[in-house]
Amino acid sequence: MACALLFWLLLFTALATPSQGKRLGPTPRLRYSRFLDPSNAVFLRWDFDFEAEVITFELQVRTAGWVGLGVTNRYSRAGSDLVVGGVLPDGNVYFSDQHLVDEDTLEEDGSQDAELQGLTEDAVYTTMRFSRPFRSCDPHDRDITSDTVRVLAAYGLDDTPKMDRERTFVKPIFLLQIIHPDDLDAPEDTIIHDLEITDFLIPEDDTTYACTFLPLPIVSKKHHIYKFEPKLVQHNETIVHHILVYACGNASTLPTGISDCYGADPAFSLCSQVIVGWAVGGTSYQFPDDVGISIGTPLDPQWIRLEIHYSNFHNLPGLYDSTGIRVYYTEHLRKYDMGVLQLGVFTFPIHFIPPGAESFMSYGLCKTEKFEEMNGAPVPDIKVFGYLLHTHLAGRALQAVQYRNGTQLHVICKDDAYDFNLQETRDLPYRAVIKPGDELLIECRYQTLDRDSLTFGGPSTINEMCLIFFFYYPRNNISSCQGYTDIIYVAHELGEEVSDSMEGMMALSNVEWTPESIKKAEKACKEAQQTVIIKTIDELVENTTGWIRDINPTPRGPCLESSGGKVEPQDKTPAGFRAAPVVLSGSSSTPLRCLPLAALLFGQGALSWLLATV
């Protein structure tokens, strides 16, 4: 009897031991990090294995209670997934993959797809580390994608998981950043140069585009700019909407001073080739180690136009600003000179979005067949390594699609969960190759349920844009390639008799906008002929025409095998899932085994009974 009791005692001890509040073995460094709350009490680290499609999170919260991390959407927390864990007063841990039935109610998933790697608690923090697949077979788990991801974090002051809105935070993050700045070279001979306006009095108007012309660094031989970052005045950060730096052709005659970019003096809108850009939510960006912006040769621009868009919606008076872009350059040359190509819908009022639209698509076409003629020299293959997406407040999604000989090749970049407050330059996981004659189609999706009047393309934040900037090499002279729809055709399809584009725009105000007329307008915009406007750095402009092709949706691919996982109808593989890979590459840690809370309590009670019996 004593031997049997001793056996059960050892068994329960073995089961309980791995679930203590501690880590087992070393864990790899997680490269990325972000605070998720305004008071910096909730800190997230993460990293991922792109090949294995597994991501690892480490959540550190200033609490002795439970913590939770998951993914939500733009509109409601209902349906969000949330991985919950904590450390009990006796040192045992609890850990569970759950989801929100409604805004406040948590329910455990039938399939447990998160793998615990560590759960600790000290005098200040509770820290939970776990991995999960990008896409599991559990319909309650939201996918981790190359889109903007709305990360949900929550915590409590005790060990009873219960949602509290004051301790729940959502932050949009681009999780799958391919290149980390620490992985790139930082030349020892780096020189810093600021391109900025100084002590500019921000007008009290809702929207101001301030432009000035500045010289690039004066160097005696070729150098490369390899990094840029915004230079913002702290109390004006919420007013600065975007900053763009345009290269000027060396034959340009430029004005002096600061003025409205698109006002009475057209000279302040000269120079249209973007070389760097920043928008709301962006940070610094460093180019890959083999590319840079060339300065210092006779072929390089010597002057730039600095454009700063201010959105002073509260019409605040007396605000002075010294904003700009800081560039880092070096004489240690990279292999390639890079350029930026602006694509999308030409920004003017022919671009429109109806009010009350759940979803409305706009299209901008680029045809590269004239690039060589306009460039004045052969154009080698354009190799795209990064991109910047840009719409205003109604934008919900963007994508860039490539066609060759009339056939869709692939989607170069996209974001199906675009967030106006997170506009940053992003790296591609591969380098897309655009050959002469290829077509590029930019699609933007908008939502205007909160608007009761038409939204037109324009510079103001309450107007709209549909733009994607490609960062590429080797540099050519093409600065932009944008399209717009035949508004006369669209007006006719909506039953309006018009004879020119101005009448077409005016006639849109006569339309009664219903779900049916919105869909009819969207269909007409896609079927109408597009005018394509191509511009060079020297302000040479050419037009061509084309038609919008269909976009084949990108297949999601198989989900990852999980405990009790379910096969989704869109999974094309017979089994519906693939074998689970090992944990994040480079990890030598042994995952913690975690018993459910009920099992832990049963084990503790049984152990007490055994001890009492013995």
Side-chain angles (χ1 to χ4, degrees), residues 5 31 100 126 248 282 348 373 451 468 491 537 563 570-571:
L5 290 173
R31 295 176 297 164
L100 280 162
T126 295
C248 297
F348 72 141
E373 172 191 339
R451 304 189 182 193
I468 295 182
I537 187 174
S563 170
Q570 58 266 47
D571 292 329

Side-chain angles (χ1 to χ4, degrees), residues 38 51 85 129 134 172 201-202 208 225 380 394 408 478 505 536 547 562 576:
E51 295 297 323
R129 181 173 176 137
F134 288 0
L201 179 60
I202 302 174
T208 298
I225 296 173
Q408 179 177 324
I478 308 299
M505 287 186 291
T536 71
W547 303 91
S562 55

Side-chain angles (χ1 to χ4, degrees), residues 149-307:
V149 176
R150 286 173 173 78
V151 176
L152 171 67
Y155 71 96
L157 301 181
D158 56 29
D159 289 306
T160 303
K162 183 179 180 181
M163 299 301 289
D164 180 343
R165 300 193 181 196
E166 292 185 1
R167 298 185 183 92
T168 303
F169 307 95
V170 176
K171 193 174 189 70
I173 303 177
F174 179 57
L175 290 174
L176 302 185
Q177 304 175 53
I178 302 302
I179 300 175
H180 190 278
D182 291 348
D183 300 331
L184 300 171
D185 291 336
E188 293 182 358
D189 66 337
T190 294
I191 307 169
I192 295 174
H193 183 81
D194 291 334
L195 301 166
E196 61 183 341
I197 61 173
T198 305
D199 295 329
F200 174 69
L201 179 60
I202 302 174
E204 297 175 32
D205 302 329
D206 290 350
T207 299
T208 298
Y209 275 75
C211 276
T212 191
F213 295 87
L214 301 167
L216 283 167
I218 299 173
V219 290
S220 59
K221 61 179 182 179
K222 181 172 179 174
H223 287 62
H224 268 141
I225 296 173
Y226 70 90
K227 178 183 176 179
F228 67 90
E229 64 188 18
K231 191 177 180 186
L232 302 169
V233 175
Q234 186 173 4
H235 61 272
N236 292 339
E237 284 178 339
T238 58
I239 294 178
V240 179
H241 172 282
H242 76 238
I243 310 169
L244 290 174
V245 177
Y246 298 87
C248 297
N250 292 333
S252 304
T253 302
L254 306 174
T256 59
I258 303 174
S259 187
D260 188 342
C261 304
Y262 308 105
D265 187 348
F268 278 89
S269 64
L270 289 173
C271 312
S272 58
Q273 186 171 58
V274 175
I275 56 173
V276 297
W278 172 90
V280 176
T283 56
S284 65
Y285 179 71
Q286 185 168 332
F287 305 125
D289 290 337
D290 56 347
V291 299
I293 300 170
S294 178
I295 58 173
T297 79
L299 297 177
D300 296 329
Q302 299 173 18
W303 286 75
I304 60 95
R305 172 166 66 96
L306 178 67
E307 173 185 295

Side-chain angles (χ1 to χ4, degrees), residues 410-480:
H410 54 252
V411 175
I412 294 177
C413 63
K414 73 175 185 67
D415 191 340
D416 287 333
Y418 174 81
D419 192 306
F420 172 82
N421 294 306
L422 187 66
Q423 301 180 53
E424 55 190 354
T425 304
R426 299 174 176 179
D427 298 296
L428 288 174
Y430 62 92
R431 296 196 174 178
V433 178
I434 301 169
K435 292 184 175 292
D438 285 357
E439 293 183 5
L440 302 168
L441 178 62
I442 307 303
E443 178 191 74
C444 293
R445 178 167 59 84
Y446 301 94
Q447 186 184 84
T448 56
L449 292 174
D450 59 342
R451 304 189 182 193
D452 56 11
S453 60
L454 282 159
T455 300
F456 290 103
S460 171
T461 306
I462 59 173
N463 296 138
E464 265 308 331
M465 292 186 176
C466 174
L467 300 173
I468 295 182
F469 299 88
F470 276 174
F471 291 72
Y472 73 91
Y473 66 90
R475 181 185 71 187
N476 58 52
N477 290 326
I478 308 299
S479 60
S480 63

Side-chain angles (χ1 to χ4, degrees), residues 348-362:
F348 72 141
I350 281 180
H351 180 206
F352 74 94
I353 301 104
E358 174 70 38
S359 174
F360 188 85
M361 302 292 192
S362 295

